[in-house]
Amino acid sequence: MEVDSIPNGSATETDMPNAAAAAATITPTPSNFTGLAESLKLEHQFLRVPFEHYKKTIRANHRVAEKEVSAVISSVTEAADRDNMSTEEAVHHFNSLVSRLQGLKRKLEEGSRTEQMQAQKCRARLVHLESADADNLAEWNSTRLKRILVDYMLRMSYFETAMKLSESSNIQDLVDIDVFQEAKRVIDALQNKEIAPALAWCSDNKSRLKKSKSKFEFQLRLQEFIELVRGDKNMQAIAYARKYLAPWGATHMKELQRVMATLAFKSSTECAVYKVLFEPKQWDHLVDVFRQEFCKIYGMTLEPLLNIYLQAGLSALKTPYCYEDDCTKEDPLSQESFRKLADPLPYSKQHHSKLVCYITKELMDTENPPQVLPNGYVYSAKALERMAKENSGKITCPRTGFVCNYSELMKAYIS
């Protein structure tokens, strides 16, 4: 927000209190700024995913143009070198080249539209981050929560629900539905025991996978070889290995030798070392590896953002008491679903112990001190005073049923 400066000496004394009050009204609190700054640090994936998708589209369009132009130039050079080409042949030849170039033009126009849409998505996200302000923090956080929910739904394959939420909230440019749809096509194919879409994805991302030293394409080739062996197509399997597996021999010889041995052991083998290669869970493993490579290429977190944010909060709440039978229902970790999320997290570090009354669930401190029953159980003074008034000075321990007089209680001191 820009505020016009006041020339020296132009402000009256009566204006100053009003100006100060206005400034106090519009000035965000430091805590809001701190929270906002911390929130923006977590938005790396939010910007990187559309940017990586944008770069991938540009590279794909460049490859198409380079391939088609190279083919046209080669064809023109070939035609120019021919001395005996008739006029009709020349006209036909150049008409085919024109048709090919027109097709290239259509592809480039379509690719340009796709690039513009993805560039717009990147701009929309930058504008969204720039719009984050302490004055509209509640609205901005609400939008972020919807983005996180859409991310979770897409990762869990609830595509229709994710699309409806994004459309109703008008956040289509702030979520990555098209990126996850690309992943879904490959995952569905692998779950149906189809390799081709995954290999096509590897071809499109060959340079990135090579840079990260990925074994995913090699694992796909091994699985395709195993399927040929399973179908008793040994000669085809050998030809396939010579063409697609041999180039990997220098770096993955042990895996290659193990798989090649299946030609002798067959799919019906009981030998555990080779039997596992024919099990259906190998396809599930390929799906898991694909998810990891996909997230790595686009700079995504492997876990859903919702889980990460929940775990960040649960890490501050997790204590040994949360896993006891008498854990209060108000504690999120009393629920099994939250306990599962918090399972890999360490216990929170408590610098100062806090005593909470079992009866009232209120904090026990100097104003509400803890008192000890003769049986050793501790409750707050307020709870025991109320119980004594209602029961003619008698105290009944709610956990053991022990009964005593109020005068028998002892005050506990917290150091």
Side-chain angles (χ1 to χ4, degrees):
M1 178 182 293
E2 295 182 0
V3 180
D4 294 336
S5 59
I6 301 175
N8 290 337
S10 65
T12 64
E13 291 183 2
T14 56
D15 291 334
M16 296 304 292
N18 293 335
T25 302
I26 64 174
T27 302
T29 61
S31 61
N32 283 343
F33 271 131
T34 303
L36 185 58
E38 292 300 319
S39 296
L40 293 177
K41 288 180 183 178
L42 303 173
E43 299 296 346
H44 172 76
Q45 172 178 319
F46 180 62
L47 288 177
R48 184 174 173 184
V49 172
F51 181 64
E52 291 294 338
H53 201 204
Y54 182 41
K55 288 198 302 182
K56 180 182 176 182
T57 303
I58 292 174
R59 287 195 297 266
N61 291 339
H62 177 73
R63 283 197 300 268
V64 169
E66 194 176 50
K67 180 180 178 182
E68 292 295 324
V69 170
S70 177
V72 168
I73 292 174
S74 176
S75 183
V76 170
T77 303
E78 181 184 346
D81 292 340
R82 288 180 58 182
D83 298 329
N84 58 345
M85 181 179 288
S86 65
T87 304
E88 290 183 2
E89 287 177 338
V91 170
H92 177 73
H93 187 73
F94 282 106
N95 282 338
S96 64
L97 292 179
V98 169
S99 298
R100 188 165 188 170
L101 288 172
Q102 288 174 340
L104 174 60
K105 181 183 177 182
R106 287 192 296 271
K107 289 180 182 178
L108 291 178
E109 288 174 349
E110 183 179 348
S112 177
R113 286 193 294 270
T114 304
E115 287 179 18
Q116 289 174 5
M117 289 173 58
Q118 292 175 355
Q120 171 58 30
K121 184 172 287 191
C122 292
R123 281 193 293 269
R125 298 191 181 197
L126 286 171
V127 169
H128 174 68
L129 291 181
E130 289 175 351
S131 69
D133 189 274
D135 294 333
N136 68 339
L137 193 57
E139 181 182 353
W140 194 85
N141 281 335
S142 175
T143 301
R144 181 175 63 170
L145 176 59
K146 291 172 183 175
R147 290 195 284 110
I148 292 171
L149 289 174
V150 170
D151 173 85
Y152 181 82
M153 292 173 188
L154 291 172
R155 290 173 185 263
M156 298 295 109
S157 297
Y158 303 136
F159 280 85
E160 291 185 10
T161 309
M163 291 175 69
K164 287 180 180 179
L165 177 57
S166 65
E167 289 170 3
S168 63
S169 306
N170 196 26
I171 57 172
Q172 293 95 323
D173 286 340
L174 306 182
V175 293
D176 303 303
I177 293 176
D178 51 345
V179 175
F180 280 100
Q181 283 177 333
E182 174 190 342
K184 186 177 184 298
R185 285 192 290 271
V186 177
I187 291 172
D188 288 347
L190 289 175
Q191 289 174 341
N192 291 326
K193 298 181 171 54
E194 297 175 12
I195 295 284
L199 288 174
W201 182 84
C202 288
S203 178
D204 292 340
N205 298 276
K206 190 171 184 178
S207 60
R208 299 294 301 278
L209 293 172
K210 186 177 181 181
K211 188 176 180 179
S212 64
K213 298 180 180 179
S214 170
K215 294 170 55 178
F216 182 52
E217 183 180 354
F218 176 63
Q219 291 171 321
L220 290 172
R221 296 295 185 186
L222 291 182
Q223 189 62 40
E224 201 159 27
F225 176 85
I226 288 293
E227 294 306 314
L228 290 173
V229 175
R230 191 198 306 275
D232 291 328
K233 300 175 182 178
N234 289 357
M235 295 308 296
Q236 291 183 35
I238 293 171
Y240 183 89
R242 286 173 177 168
K243 185 175 181 179
Y244 295 110
L245 296 181
W248 296 87
T251 54
H252 300 87
M253 181 56 72
K254 287 185 178 180
E255 296 100 316
L256 194 54
Q257 289 174 336
R258 181 187 176 200
V259 169
M260 291 302 295
T262 59
L263 288 168
F265 282 88
K266 306 293 183 180
S267 60
S268 58
T269 181
E270 291 300 322
C271 181
V273 176
Y274 304 105
K275 183 179 180 180
V276 69
L277 297 175
F278 294 97
E279 292 180 355
K281 68 179 181 181
Q282 293 297 323
W283 290 97
D284 297 331
H285 175 66
L286 288 176
V287 170
D288 292 338
V289 174
F290 169 73
R291 286 197 176 107
Q292 293 173 15
E293 297 296 342
F294 185 83
C295 291
K296 190 185 299 182
I297 282 178
Y298 281 104
M300 295 180 181
T301 58
L302 191 58
E303 284 286 318
L305 290 175
L306 182 62
N307 287 7
I308 293 173
Y309 278 90
L310 287 173
Q311 286 180 328
L314 292 172
S315 64
L317 300 175
K318 184 179 178 181
T319 63
Y321 173 72
C322 297
Y323 292 86
E324 295 183 5
D325 295 335
D326 57 351
C327 177
T328 62
K329 292 183 179 179
E330 290 80 3
D331 189 335
L333 284 163
S334 65
Q335 301 179 35
E336 189 60 35
S337 55
F338 284 115
R339 286 183 176 181
K340 187 177 180 181
L341 266 178
D343 189 53
L345 304 176
Y347 290 116
S348 63
K349 185 177 181 181
Q350 302 289 338
H351 293 283
H352 302 286
S353 298
K354 295 180 181 179
L355 297 178
V356 178
C357 178
Y358 178 83
I359 300 172
T360 64
K361 314 305 180 189
E362 294 178 356
L363 190 67
M364 291 187 281
D365 52 20
T366 54
E367 297 181 0
N368 185 26
Q371 291 188 311
V372 186
L373 275 64
N375 66 351
Y377 283 88
V378 179
Y379 303 100
S380 68
K382 290 182 180 179
L384 295 176
E385 287 173 5
R386 189 182 306 119
M387 186 183 295
K389 288 180 181 179
E390 294 173 355
N391 297 282
S392 304
K394 294 291 185 181
I395 301 296
T396 302
C397 179
R399 284 189 267 191
T400 65
F402 176 81
V403 180
C404 66
N405 294 318
Y406 183 77
S407 59
E408 298 178 60
L409 304 182
M410 296 180 62
K411 187 176 181 179
Y413 295 89
I414 304 172
S415 59

